[in-house]
Amino acid sequence: MRGFLASSIGVTCAAALALPLTPPALAATARPVPAAEAARPAAHAGTPATTPSDRRAAEPSAAGSTQSLPLEPLTRDRATPSAPATEQGLPRRAVRHFSLVGVVWDDPDAELHGRVQVRTRTAGTGTWSGWQDVETHNADHAADPDTPERASGRVRGATAPLWVGDSDGVELRVRSESDDSAADSTGHASGTRNLPAAPPLPSGLRLELVDPGEDDEASAGDEEEPRAAGGANAETSALTETSAVAEASAVNADLAPLGATEIAALNRAESEQEYLALNPGALTERQLQAKPYVGPRPGIVTRRGWGANEGLRESGFRYSKKVKAAFVHHTASGNNYRCSQVPSLIRSIYRYHVKSMGWRDIGYNFLIDKCGKIYEGRAGGVAKPVLGAHTLGFNSNSMGIAVLGSYGATKPSKSAVKAVARLTAWKLGLYRVNPKGKTYLKSAGSNLHRKGKKVRLNVISGHRDGFKTECPGRKLYGKLGSARSKAAHYQGR
């Protein structure tokens, strides 16, 4: 892979001059949003009177934005009114348009023990949803301890994001609960018993409302320049938006033309030739003579294809040495999305990871929708060992694949499982790894494996194999055996 890295670096400067900011198919239509068009429509009937803070939140803004609203105490203990509130939230209010919600807090190491529920108002109809639960256990999706990304000072604790679709009103409640009482709230225990006191809620709770922007405007990049590594004010290393777009495209230059919105699928023979081309000088004579077990390369929508604003992420890329394993996740963002909405959904998750949670880029290396389409995640090149922030303790020498949706009680589609198999057959094949095999990864520290321990794992593992978590959901986890077999078959094993 060293030759591939050198060749892609060589085209970056030229690409910065040649590559337009706006995808070719959108160049005629992409434009800034006039304030009059961005303004929120008149309030629906039955909307509560707005406060000054509501009015500020409802002011027009450019497409692609985040509203960050501090939570308010909803209840206090009358016996100890100075004690921290065990329930916080926001009363029903009008806000600017948004499509994804999440809750963040100051300390990334603090856990939110309790329940987060949200109601939203559908834009256009004024219909309020019922209460929806937001997944609170999300700390296991993160950069490894002691890495620059984790120690940047920008990282916050956060729930998983929840996709709600185009909305313009919100109501939120966050209730502190002990683990026992939370379990009781979903069970049917009879009688009464003493439960432990509810722990305090984390400090600095805020509701994040994310607007992904329109498809033809999201990649225009007028909002901000890329964050420079080491700080937003490091002017000497800050990239212009033009060079950031070129940089993200150039790392895939050996696979697709500069500015491509999709990396085309290849058949097996073409993929085997690609394997040899991407490894010049890195293969031994024996490896060159051996049959390459590489699955046919699947089609992959690039960051440009889903409209990534390259000005959000930190400049530059971070790599591991190789890819020895693939961790499969679910985003826990709900299943109420259409496949046509996926670019907007990914842009929302990207913005939430970077602007709300403080990460350098979207955490996953790849994302897959329920229709089986594969999307490039963290920037750095789809064929390269890009260091992600997906499996706390095991991000090095691995890749993270997130299936969009929640799969604790819902079965993943056959198309999504097949896409996991196709992607892993190709990417693991580039690193001469058998999808049905076992491998060892050194833990950087998790709640399941101590730091420094060499852990034996399936090459295709679920997130829960590296961290004590429900991810990727019981139903998706149960399909990983099938994905391993299919991937090995695609490799010709």
Side-chain angles (χ1 to χ4, degrees):
M1 306 304 288
R2 290 192 296 270
F4 182 29
L5 177 61
S7 64
S8 61
I9 290 174
V11 298
T12 302
C13 293
L17 299 175
L19 187 63
L21 278 176
T22 308
L26 306 176
T29 57
R31 54 177 174 77
V33 180
E37 290 181 30
R40 180 178 57 82
H44 298 284
T47 300
T50 59
T51 66
S53 61
D54 293 331
R55 287 193 293 273
R56 285 194 297 272
E59 290 171 357
S61 73
S65 62
T66 301
Q67 300 170 73
S68 185
L69 307 176
L71 304 196
E72 307 165 359
L74 297 181
T75 59
R76 286 194 182 276
D77 188 336
R78 293 182 179 180
T80 55
S82 61
T86 57
E87 186 173 10
Q88 296 184 36
L90 291 173
R92 186 182 297 193
R93 64 180 62 194
V95 292
R96 297 196 309 266
H97 284 245
F98 66 96
S99 296
L100 180 139
V101 305
V103 173
V104 301
W105 52 92
D106 294 337
D107 184 359
D109 295 320
E111 293 189 43
L112 195 164
H113 295 280
R115 194 172 189 184
V116 177
Q117 293 182 300
V118 66
R119 298 180 64 204
T120 56
R121 185 179 66 189
T122 302
T125 68
T127 303
W128 283 88
S129 71
W131 287 105
Q132 300 183 75
D133 284 302
V134 180
E135 174 59 58
T136 59
H137 298 293
N138 193 50
D140 44 313
H141 299 78
D144 288 341
D146 303 323
T147 59
E149 182 170 6
R150 181 73 175 184
S152 68
R154 295 187 299 266
V155 179
R156 305 179 188 92
T159 67
L162 178 68
W163 175 261
V164 295
D166 189 17
S167 305
D168 61 5
V170 69
E171 182 177 4
L172 178 78
R173 61 190 184 198
V174 179
R175 188 173 298 142
S176 175
E177 296 176 348
S178 68
D179 291 338
D180 287 342
S181 61
D184 264 14
S185 69
T186 58
H188 301 281
S190 58
T192 59
R193 61 188 180 93
N194 293 326
L195 294 173
L201 291 170
S203 62
L205 287 167
R206 303 182 73 88
L207 173 64
E208 304 288 288
L209 304 175
V210 180
D211 169 23
E214 299 298 327
D215 285 344
D216 62 348
E217 292 158 344
S219 61
D222 292 331
E223 180 184 346
E224 53 207 309
E225 291 186 350
R227 294 204 319 264
N233 296 321
E235 296 178 2
T236 58
S237 58
L239 297 172
T240 64
E241 178 66 18
T242 303
S243 61
V245 172
E247 178 190 50
S249 183
V251 287
N252 290 317
D254 285 357
L255 309 181
L258 289 171
T261 58
E262 184 166 0
I263 297 170
L266 299 180
N267 60 34
R268 177 172 304 213
E270 292 168 333
S271 298
E272 290 177 354
Q273 289 300 312
E274 175 190 63
Y275 163 78
L276 296 174
L278 295 180
N279 289 277
L283 301 176
T284 66
E285 187 63 30
R286 184 176 179 180
Q287 289 171 334
L288 286 170
Q289 296 301 321
K291 171 182 170 57
Y293 291 104
V294 181
R297 186 180 77 193
I300 302 171
V301 177
T302 65
R303 290 171 64 90
R304 193 169 178 82
W306 54 261
N309 179 352
E310 300 297 350
L312 293 182
R313 64 174 174 85
E314 188 177 286
S315 63
F317 311 118
R318 302 291 181 271
Y319 296 101
S320 292
K321 292 181 180 179
K322 60 184 73 173
V323 177
K324 298 173 62 178
F327 285 99
V328 178
H329 305 255
H330 68 169
T331 56
S333 52
N335 302 312
N336 297 322
Y337 69 88
R338 300 186 304 274
C339 290
S340 61
Q341 295 176 310
V342 169
S344 294
L345 172 54
I346 296 176
R347 290 198 304 274
S348 297
I349 294 173
Y350 171 41
R351 176 173 278 275
Y352 184 69
H353 282 183
V354 175
K355 303 297 287 185
S356 300
M357 297 178 67
W359 294 359
R360 72 183 315 274
D361 194 351
I362 192 169
Y364 308 111
N365 298 105
F366 297 93
L367 301 100
I368 294 173
D369 68 24
K370 56 189 173 185
C371 293
K373 185 168 284 190
I374 301 168
Y375 299 81
E376 178 183 14
R378 180 164 287 207
V382 297
K384 297 183 182 181
V386 178
L387 180 65
H390 47 82
T391 307
L392 181 63
F394 293 95
N395 290 304
S396 291
N397 297 328
S398 72
M399 65 176 181
I401 302 169
V403 181
L404 293 162
S406 302
Y407 298 102
T410 301
K411 290 182 179 179
S413 68
K414 292 181 179 178
S415 297
V417 175
K418 182 179 179 180
V420 170
R422 292 173 63 225
L423 175 59
T424 52
W426 171 70
K427 182 69 180 275
L428 292 171
L430 295 179
Y431 294 86
R432 300 174 292 283
V433 177
N434 183 347
K436 290 185 71 175
K438 304 282 187 179
T439 191
Y440 283 90
L441 292 179
K442 186 177 180 181
S443 172
S446 76
N447 64 359
L448 198 57
H449 303 288
R450 61 175 173 78
K451 183 177 180 179
K453 181 181 179 182
K454 290 185 178 180
V455 182
R456 189 169 185 258
L457 296 160
N458 286 309
V459 165
I460 299 179
S461 283
H463 187 180
R464 63 174 62 182
D465 295 317
F467 198 99
K468 188 177 180 181
T469 175
E470 292 299 313
C471 183
R474 181 171 57 89
K475 296 290 189 178
L476 177 54
Y477 189 77
K479 295 294 183 180
L480 295 189
S482 174
R484 294 182 195 110
S485 297
K486 285 188 171 80
H489 173 73
Y490 291 142
Q491 284 190 348
R493 296 183 187 270

